Amino acid sequence: MNGGKLTVGGTAGLYIGAAVLRLALFTLFPGLPDLLTGRVEISTPVTSFKRLQEGLFLYNHNVSPYDGGVYHQSPLFLPLFSLLPSSLTLPIFTYLLYVGVDLLSAHALMQIADSGEAGSSALFKSPRREKRWSGLVVAAVYLFNPFTIATCIGRSTSVFTTCAILHAIAKAVSGAPFSSMVALSFAAYLSMYPLLLLPPLILLCYDRQLPGAAIKSAVQFAWKNVLVVTGVLFALFQMSYLVTGSWEFVPSTYGVQLTLSDLTPNVGLWWYFFIEMFDSFRSFFLAVFWLHLSSYVGGLCVRIRTQPLVVLTLLLGIFAIFKPYPSISDTSLFLALVPLYRHVFPLMRYTFVVAAVVIYATFLGPAFYYLWIYAGSGNANFFYAITLVWGLGQSLLVCDLTFAVLRDEWEVERPEMVGKDIRQI
């Protein structure tokens, strides 16, 4: 009983501490939210709070928010934020909304950690599974990650997508496939790319079915969940049509991600490449980039079928590198799931290099952007070069985590090789 009380007290203390820190940054530094909102590392054309405000102004004045070519976010954000007082006169309500969404994300992450799915899935049990952090520690790492805090203070709408993805995974590990599919549908509606998480999420739901409601046929189970996602997305699109009065939001919200029509700089790899691209080759390379992004889904689902949560984690890391409009919010989501694999940390080989590269890029990124945009002593190559380093650091972490998970799996199959070095010949 004391342990339970301690856990409840620790959880409440963690949430209160995280909320107080965020509210203190909001109120003590009133210029900080607007400063961070304008940072390309935090806000992208499809997640910017400043663009949301422009769309909201048009919406409240009975003008289509998609007419100006500035607003590229989901229509349902408009009635949600129109219910809140103006962020200029009474910003506290907007602040509370973002803080609450962060706490909901942490709660879902805590459920995922406490389920033990990372080290002990239905088809694989790691011999190191006892070595893991509690959900409280994992949630604390997420809530006090500087990337998470900066995203919250910058009021990027990506926090809603993060919350939906984490709840989809949390519901899956708790044996609630319907709720998981509904949460994933909301994430896909908000940002489109989470739809690629559907195959591994279905596998996770299938493995974690409750005994009384289990469906033995994997194909039947998959189709059932695909229909749920399709139905929820259809309902969300219909609601969006009622809000905007037209289907204009489809090309403005999802078409801009498919065609990369807005080439605002960000921490990703696409924008500079397509600035330099000849128009005659643009469609071909768009198809190549999207094919590259989606090609990881099938391979990982087949190779690491026994650990679908690992597949979801690795895919989120890959999306943080290769999606069209990434930000540090995507990196914070990936880094939130990495501590779940405490048991394979000893098998990772490049943790120091990864940490050094990520910190290096974190500090030099804003400096290079300043040299390019404000000082005029650099050019776009300065900033793009540091985004390549940023992508390299995340790629190393994804590869290193993949190696550690596969090595852990291999040692179960080959016990005589435990502790021995391996070399590829």
Side-chain angles (χ1 to χ4, degrees):
M1 290 297 292
N2 290 335
K5 290 180 180 177
L6 183 62
T7 303
V8 173
T11 303
L14 171 65
Y15 289 170
I16 293 171
V20 168
L21 173 62
R22 285 159 170 75
L23 291 174
L25 289 173
F26 274 125
T27 54
L28 297 179
F29 304 95
L32 185 61
D34 289 335
L35 173 66
L36 293 180
T37 298
R39 296 301 310 176
V40 294
E41 300 89 350
I42 296 171
S43 297
T44 68
V46 294
T47 63
S48 170
F49 183 75
K50 188 178 293 184
R51 295 195 181 213
L52 172 62
Q53 291 300 102
E54 294 185 26
L56 191 62
F57 177 83
L58 295 175
Y59 172 74
N60 288 332
H61 287 78
N62 297 318
V63 178
S64 173
Y66 299 101
D67 280 348
V70 173
Y71 183 67
H72 301 300
Q73 300 176 51
S74 301
L76 293 186
F77 277 132
L78 300 171
L80 170 64
F81 280 89
S82 64
L83 293 174
L84 300 176
S86 170
S87 62
L88 296 176
T89 56
L90 281 173
I92 185 64
F93 293 97
T94 303
Y95 299 161
L96 289 173
L97 173 64
Y98 276 87
V99 172
V101 171
D102 260 9
L103 297 183
L104 284 173
S105 299
H107 182 69
L109 191 60
M110 192 179 297
Q111 291 179 318
I112 299 168
D114 288 337
S115 71
E117 174 70 21
S120 180
S121 64
L123 301 177
F124 177 78
K125 287 180 172 47
S126 170
R128 302 174 173 86
R129 60 185 177 276
E130 298 302 326
K131 185 183 291 185
R132 64 188 180 95
W133 283 314
S134 68
L136 193 66
V137 174
V138 175
V141 170
Y142 169 74
L143 285 173
F144 292 99
N145 183 338
F147 296 153
T148 308
I149 296 172
T151 302
C152 178
I153 304 301
R155 297 165 295 178
S156 168
T157 53
S158 57
V159 299
F160 297 94
T161 305
T162 296
C163 185
I165 290 174
L166 288 174
H167 274 85
I169 300 174
K171 293 299 181 182
V173 298
S174 63
F178 179 80
S179 300
S180 176
M181 293 302 118
V182 171
L184 182 70
S185 302
F186 272 92
Y189 167 77
L190 295 176
S191 297
M192 193 175 75
Y193 81 90
L195 200 60
L196 293 173
L197 299 174
L198 181 59
L201 195 65
I202 288 177
L203 292 177
L204 181 58
C205 289
Y206 182 76
D207 290 348
R208 299 285 296 201
Q209 291 180 90
L210 298 176
I215 298 176
K216 293 185 178 180
S217 170
V219 175
Q220 181 184 352
F221 182 83
W223 274 113
K224 180 181 177 182
N225 285 281
V226 168
L227 288 175
V228 171
V229 171
T230 304
V232 175
L233 283 175
F234 178 77
L236 290 171
F237 278 118
Q238 287 295 328
M239 293 169 64
S240 301
Y241 175 78
L242 294 175
V243 168
T244 60
S246 72
W247 295 104
E248 191 179 7
F249 70 91
V250 176
S252 295
T253 303
Y254 308 105
V256 71
Q257 297 188 55
L258 288 171
T259 62
L260 206 80
S261 55
D262 192 318
L263 293 172
T264 302
N266 54 66
V267 295
L269 308 177
W270 291 46
W271 64 274
Y272 185 81
F273 189 88
F274 284 95
I275 283 177
E276 302 293 330
M277 179 61 56
F278 290 112
D279 286 342
S280 56
F281 297 105
R282 182 180 174 86
S283 298
F284 170 75
F285 278 100
L286 276 171
V288 170
F289 272 55
W290 271 110
L291 181 64
H292 171 256
L293 181 66
S294 56
S295 63
Y296 291 97
V297 179
L300 287 173
C301 285
V302 172
R303 177 60 186 88
I304 319 181
R305 164 65 186 93
T306 56
Q307 302 182 71
L309 184 59
V310 172
V311 178
L312 288 163
T313 303
L314 295 176
L315 285 177
L316 288 172
I318 290 167
F319 295 159
I321 305 166
F322 296 117
K323 61 180 280 198
Y325 294 105
S327 67
I328 62 172
S329 173
D330 302 291
T331 305
S332 72
L333 174 57
F334 173 51
L335 294 179
L337 294 172
V338 170
L340 298 175
Y341 305 95
R342 168 71 181 86
H343 59 287
V344 298
F345 279 10
L347 301 176
M348 297 175 71
R349 302 165 294 174
Y350 307 118
T351 49
F352 174 77
V353 176
V354 169
V357 171
V358 169
I359 293 172
Y360 173 85
T362 300
F363 283 100
L364 280 188
F368 281 16
Y369 186 77
Y370 175 83
L371 289 175
W372 170 31
I373 298 297
Y374 299 104
S377 57
N379 54 32
N381 296 326
F382 273 61
F383 184 64
Y384 189 61
I386 202 65
T387 61
L388 292 177
V389 176
W390 173 255
L392 172 65
Q394 295 180 89
S395 300
L396 284 174
L397 180 55
V398 170
C399 294
D400 208 17
L401 182 59
T402 306
F403 170 83
V405 168
L406 293 178
R407 172 74 198 227
D408 186 51
E409 192 178 87
W410 185 65
E411 288 184 357
V412 173
E413 299 171 0
R414 301 279 299 276
E416 72 276 8
M417 300 302 292
V418 174
K420 295 184 179 179
D421 290 334
I422 57 172
R423 292 183 177 86
Q424 185 176 5
I425 300 175

